[in-house]
């Protein structure tokens, strides 16, 4: 009898624990994610919100726009948001200074920067831009960082070989189209805004560098693990949707950027999908992280590579990859 009673107690305890676990999992959690900008690069996040993939996971997501990567990260460090979306280099710089932060999910896995020129510019290699005016985003920004790295790799620099004009982010297309410069370093949708008006796309960093940890989701290491898992799950489902339904993805982008020419939006999303700017999953590989951090090390912004196992939370990622 005692044996049966003990077994019954164990079964009851298991059911209670299971009930608590299921209850915690089913509980709707409200979180805030601070994005650096409203950017077409962050389409996986917008798809997850628009298609209800976060809601399906029991997560209510408030999206805020900080205006810069450092401001977005600061919101996590201060506790005003649980997550931030921007380049992982800012997280690595903060972590190298002792901040208890890390990356929990992939968002953009290609170096989403391109060079476009006026139609009359001859371009066979980067060395053809010697002596030219080049417009690029105001530092610090990844587009200009990558461009400076490319110059350095080819024995050139922005002080002696070109006339680099740095302008506020988002104004690069206007500077190129107005003739302020005949060469521009661009993100999307700026690239396709100038391409549709006859400018030439002469170099794509996604093809040059391959997998590149360009943007990711950051959280404090002591973030609520249930909320973090729901966030990563929602991102994984959104990325799967994007790979299966490009047309549906384009429609989400059009809703997010209603003031843009719909054809520009379609061209930009199609280009980024074709050039593997968006990831195939939430997974971040050591090689993709290394090449992204190498850019910052080359520019002197980061002293050394972060330790992958300490910097990337693989637990959330692996759990999300197992979703059916």
């Amino acid at each position: 009898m005692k044996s049966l009673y003990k077994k019954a107690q164990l079964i009851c305890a298991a059911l209670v624990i299971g009930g608590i676990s299921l209850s915690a999992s089913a509980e709707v959690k409200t979180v805030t994610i601070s994005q650096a900008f409203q950017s077409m690069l962050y389409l996986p996040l917008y798809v997850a919100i628009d298609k209800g993939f976060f809601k399906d996971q029991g997560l209510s997501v408030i999206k805020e726009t900080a205006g810069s990567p450092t401001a977005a990260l600061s919101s996590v460090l201060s506790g005003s948001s649980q997550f931030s979306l921007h380049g992982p280099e800012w997280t690595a710089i903060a972590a190298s200074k002792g901040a208890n932060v890390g990356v929990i999910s992939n968002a953009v896995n290609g170096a989403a920067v391109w060079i476009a020129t006026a139609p009359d510019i001859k371009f066979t290699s980067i060395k053809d831009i010697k002596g030219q005016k080049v417009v690029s985003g105001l530092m610090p920004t990844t587009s200009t960082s990558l461009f400076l790295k490319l110059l350095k790799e080819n024995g050139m620099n922005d002080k002696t070989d070109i006339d680099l004009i740095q302008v506020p982010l988002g104004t690069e297309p206007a500077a190129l189209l107005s003739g302020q410069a005949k060469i521009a370093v661009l993100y999307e949708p700026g690239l396709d805004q100038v391409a549709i008006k006859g400018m030439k796309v002469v170099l794509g960093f996604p093809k040059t560098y391959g997998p590149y940890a360009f943007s990711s989701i950051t959280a404090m290491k002591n973030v609520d693990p249930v909320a973090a898992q729901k966030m990563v799950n929602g991102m994984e489902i959104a990325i799967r949707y994007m790979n299966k339904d490009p047309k549906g993805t384009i429609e989400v982008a059009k809703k997010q950027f209603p003031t843009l020419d719909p054809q520009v939006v379609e061209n930009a999303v199609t280009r980024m999908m074709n050039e593997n700017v968006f990831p195939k999953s939430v997974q971040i590989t050591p090689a993709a992280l290394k090449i992204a951090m190498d850019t910052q090390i080359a520019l002197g912004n980061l002293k050394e590579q972060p330790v992958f196992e300490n910097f990337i939370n693989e637990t959330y990622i692996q759990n999300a990859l197992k979703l059916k």
Side-chain angles (χ1 to χ4, degrees):
M1 284 296 289
K2 281 185 180 178
S3 172
L4 285 172
Y5 179 69
K6 213 165 191 179
K7 279 184 182 178
Q9 281 185 314
L10 289 170
I11 290 167
C12 285
L15 287 172
V16 168
I17 292 167
I20 291 169
S21 173
L22 287 170
S23 173
S25 175
E27 179 191 348
V28 175
K29 291 190 174 277
T30 299
V31 298
T32 298
I33 183 164
S34 180
Q35 58 175 5
F37 311 102
Q38 175 72 5
S39 170
M40 206 170 283
L41 290 172
Y42 301 159
L43 204 45
L45 174 68
Y46 308 154
V47 167
I49 293 171
D50 185 87
K51 294 294 177 183
F53 298 140
F54 287 137
K55 282 186 179 178
D56 292 345
Q57 292 297 312
L59 198 65
S60 175
V61 177
I62 299 166
K63 182 190 74 174
E64 294 182 348
T65 301
S68 73
T70 49
L73 176 59
S74 292
S75 74
V76 168
L77 295 173
S78 69
S80 60
S81 67
Q82 288 74 43
F83 308 102
S84 58
L85 177 52
H86 46 72
E89 64 272 16
W90 305 107
T91 311
I93 292 167
S96 73
K97 294 176 181 177
N100 191 34
V101 288
V103 166
I104 64 169
S105 173
N106 203 347
V108 184
N109 199 50
V113 178
W114 293 262
I115 296 176
T117 72
D120 60 334
I121 291 289
K122 178 193 170 187
F123 188 100
T124 55
S125 77
I126 194 64
K127 294 191 175 180
D128 289 334
I129 72 169
K130 275 192 176 183
Q132 294 281 355
K133 289 182 178 180
V134 180
V135 66
S136 188
L138 197 63
M139 283 288 276
T141 184
T142 309
S143 59
T144 305
S145 296
L146 275 173
F147 177 62
L148 295 176
K149 181 173 183 282
L150 182 65
L151 291 179
K152 188 176 180 181
E153 289 169 348
N154 284 273
M156 301 166 65
N157 70 69
D158 61 304
K159 302 292 188 292
T160 59
D161 294 300
I162 61 167
D163 181 4
L164 183 63
I165 304 167
Q166 294 188 40
V167 298
L169 287 176
T171 66
E172 305 97 321
L176 177 63
L177 292 172
S178 68
Q180 189 176 347
K182 289 195 171 186
I183 300 165
V185 182
L186 300 158
Y187 293 117
E188 287 286 18
L191 177 72
D192 273 287
Q193 285 178 312
V194 301
I196 207 168
K197 293 185 180 293
M199 300 295 111
K200 297 189 300 182
V201 181
V202 298
L203 188 146
F205 286 84
K207 290 181 180 177
T208 302
Y209 288 112
Y212 187 109
F214 198 80
S215 295
S216 54
I217 293 180
T218 288
M220 298 296 291
K221 289 188 177 179
N222 61 354
V223 67
D224 176 354
V226 175
Q229 189 63 66
K230 290 172 187 283
M231 170 62 68
V232 181
N233 288 355
M235 289 292 289
E236 172 64 20
I237 295 165
I239 290 166
R240 292 179 189 180
Y241 171 86
M242 290 173 68
N243 286 304
K244 284 181 184 175
D245 192 346
K247 286 185 179 178
T249 301
I250 290 167
E251 290 310 308
V252 172
K254 287 178 180 176
K255 278 195 256 180
Q256 288 289 323
F257 299 92
T259 61
L260 287 179
D261 179 340
Q263 190 59 57
V264 167
V265 174
E266 184 170 343
N267 292 352
V269 174
T270 300
R271 186 190 301 275
M272 288 192 286
M273 295 191 80
N274 288 344
E275 296 191 28
N276 295 316
V277 166
F278 298 119
K280 301 299 181 188
S281 75
V282 291
Q283 191 159 41
I284 299 169
T285 66
L289 181 67
K290 181 180 183 303
I291 192 167
M293 297 303 105
D294 279 346
T295 300
Q296 302 307 316
I297 292 169
L299 293 171
N301 297 330
L302 194 62
K303 289 182 180 178
E304 60 186 3
Q305 287 282 337
V307 177
F308 184 86
E309 294 76 14
N310 296 338
F311 187 62
I312 306 291
N313 192 316
E314 282 274 275
T315 301
Y316 299 131
I317 290 170
Q318 291 304 319
N319 286 341
L321 293 178
K322 292 172 187 171
L323 289 172
K324 298 298 182 187

